[in-house]
């Protein structure tokens, strides 16, 4: 989406910024530039949005107000050119943030002090005081919606991917987010049979969607590393180049073989024990064999993030060792023990444990198979959970041909986290620091059939312990 109406990258309009005290007094923070700095945090692994704000105060508001962690913060920010599209505004006016703490107050001179306020979405504080003690019946996606609309009393937009199967959850005095976490762990999508559900809040609203659903979207913007001073066309700043420029990047993650072994990414076994018939079934998960049945960010071009070379002369590879074992009791095979009718009879026949446990564990661990931190010009266009394109340079002393772009850290990436920083000085600027990740690559690595793990050929030596006299003890 093109950003029109911008004169320079990072421009933003703060349309509303009001602090509502517990006494009902409303403090407008926009006139007088009372807000010195503002940061907002999005993370697909976090249920809600959080933030930190520094304000300048000449009336000792922290004590006179007072500010005691029971205040509301109404905020609305838009990127010029996007302010008429509500979907791309940061709008927390109707659904205000909750001030949770006044962390610091520092005298900055001339009778003015700086106060650092922490705030979060209202649903987080609601979750802290609410408990669920009832039976919940329906699909997991329906149960999550009930938690959001009823127990958390949220009116924010909700982007949901329907899950399959009727379930029954007995919530024993649990917090709403704990119930949602259970649903997230075991839900499987109706359309794609995908077990990788995540529940999080972005600037657009709440989400209960799978990785596959996120991966199916087209990139909302493509970021490319460029050198400042080169983003001009005919002597004028090219806004499109400026807003899509990567200013700094750091490669922060590549596959960790030891972690992947321990978590069961490459291979795992699941023993399902039927407590009625006293029998069991064993399921073995294999990353390579399952890869084509899963949804990945590179879609049809996706390739596993490993080299399928043999580790031993016998042909064993990384996926030949079920390095993690899962145990799961059940009441009768081929039935879903999570739902009973009024007579406590099990009626829904669907055995999805290998999907919900083994496949989910592998895919959720490999979500950041390749990870990159980037600093970019800020806009309200991009949210956590979006897909973006990435192009970074091929950093090498000698580059052959036209291979000037990194071939591995290239293409579609999932936005995992975003930190929005708003500098409120007269030439204020919105900047973003993002972690972007991907779970596949687009090329096969050459796999020689004789590059085995090194192993000592000579006969191993064993030394027994001796004391100082040389006598065997």
């Amino acid at each position: 989406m093109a950003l029109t109406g911008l004169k320079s990258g990072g421009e933003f309009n703060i349309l509303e910024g009001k602090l509502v005290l517990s006494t009902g007094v409303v403090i407008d923070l926009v006139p007088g530039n009372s807000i010195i700095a503002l940061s907002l945090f999005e993370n697909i692994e976090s249920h809600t949005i959080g933030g930190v704000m520094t304000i300048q105060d000449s009336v000792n508001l922290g004590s006179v107000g007072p500010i005691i962690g029971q205040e509301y913060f109404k905020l609305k920010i838009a990127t010029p050119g996007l302010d008429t599209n509500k979907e791309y505004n940061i709008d927390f006016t109707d659904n205000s943030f909750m001030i949770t703490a006044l962390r610091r107050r520092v005298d900055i001179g001339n009778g003015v002090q700086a106060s650092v306020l922490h705030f979060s979405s209202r649903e987080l504080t609601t979750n802290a005081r609410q408990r669920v003690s009832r039976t919940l019946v329906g699909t997991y996606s329906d149960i999550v919606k009930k938690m959001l609309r009823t127990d958390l009393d949220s009116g924010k937009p909700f982007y949901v991917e329907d899950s399959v199967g009727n379930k029954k959850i007995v919530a024993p005095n649990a917090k709403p987010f704990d119930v949602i976490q259970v649903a997230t762990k075991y839900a499987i999508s109706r359309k794609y049979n995908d077990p990788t559900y995540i529940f999080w809040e972005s600037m657009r609203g709440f989400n209960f969607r799978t990785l596959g659903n996120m991966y199916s979207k087209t990139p909302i913007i493509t970021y490319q590393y460029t050198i400042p001073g080169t983003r001009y066309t005919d002597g004028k700043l090219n806004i499109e180049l400026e807003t899509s420029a990567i200013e700094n990047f750091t490669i922060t993650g590549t596959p960790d073989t030891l972690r992947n072994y321990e978590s069961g990414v490459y291979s795992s076994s699941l023993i399902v024990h039927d407590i009625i018939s006293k029998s069991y079934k064993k399921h073995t998960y294999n990353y390579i064999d399952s890869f084509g049945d899963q949804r990945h960010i590179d879609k049809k071009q996706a390739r596993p993030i490993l080299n399928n070379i043999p580790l031993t002369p016998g042909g064993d590879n990384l996926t030949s060792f079920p390095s993690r074992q899962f145990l799961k009791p059940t009441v009768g095979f081929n039935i879903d023990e999570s739902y009973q009718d009024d007579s406590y009879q099990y009626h829904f026949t669907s055995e999805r444990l290998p999907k919900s446990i083994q496949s989910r564990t592998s895919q959720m661990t490999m979500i950041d198979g390749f990870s990159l931190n980037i600093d970019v010009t800020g806009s309200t266009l991009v949210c956590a959970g979006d897909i973006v394109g990435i192009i970074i340079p091929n950093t090498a002393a000698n580059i052959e041909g036209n291979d000037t772009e990194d071939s591995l850290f290239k293409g579609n990436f999932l936005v995992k986290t975003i930190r929005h920083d708003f500098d409120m000085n007269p030439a204020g600027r919105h900047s973003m620091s993002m972690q972007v990740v991907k779970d596949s690559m687009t090329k096969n690595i050459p796999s020689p059939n004789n590059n085995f793990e090194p192993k000592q050929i000579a006969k191993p030596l064993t030394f027994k312990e001796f004391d100082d006299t040389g006598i065997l003890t």
Side-chain angles (χ1 to χ4, degrees), residues 1-6 79-85 88 219-222 238-241 243-244 379-382:
M1 179 179 292
L3 295 175
T4 59
L6 288 175
T79 300
L82 296 177
D83 41 10
T84 58
N85 191 329
Y88 298 121
I220 196 166
I221 190 173
T222 296
N238 187 316
I239 294 298
E240 186 175 348
L241 291 178
T243 55
S244 62
S379 79
T380 54
L381 179 66
V382 184

Side-chain angles (χ1 to χ4, degrees), residues 354-424:
K355 268 279 186 191
S356 62
I357 297 178
Q358 293 173 282
S359 181
R360 175 181 169 82
T361 298
S362 177
Q363 290 180 264
M364 297 303 292
T365 305
M366 286 299 282
I367 183 178
D368 52 358
F370 293 124
S371 176
L372 192 69
N373 286 354
I374 60 174
D375 296 329
V376 300
T377 299
S379 79
T380 54
L381 179 66
V382 184
C383 292
D386 284 342
I387 300 297
V388 296
I390 297 292
I391 301 173
I392 61 173
N394 183 3
T395 306
N398 297 302
I399 299 175
E400 297 182 2
N402 297 320
D403 193 13
T404 59
E405 299 172 356
D406 191 296
S407 60
L408 201 57
F409 287 83
K410 179 182 179 180
N412 290 355
F413 279 74
L414 171 68
V415 179
K416 187 176 181 181
T417 68
I418 304 182
R419 172 178 172 143
H420 299 265
D421 290 311
F422 298 92
D423 185 351
M424 297 293 182

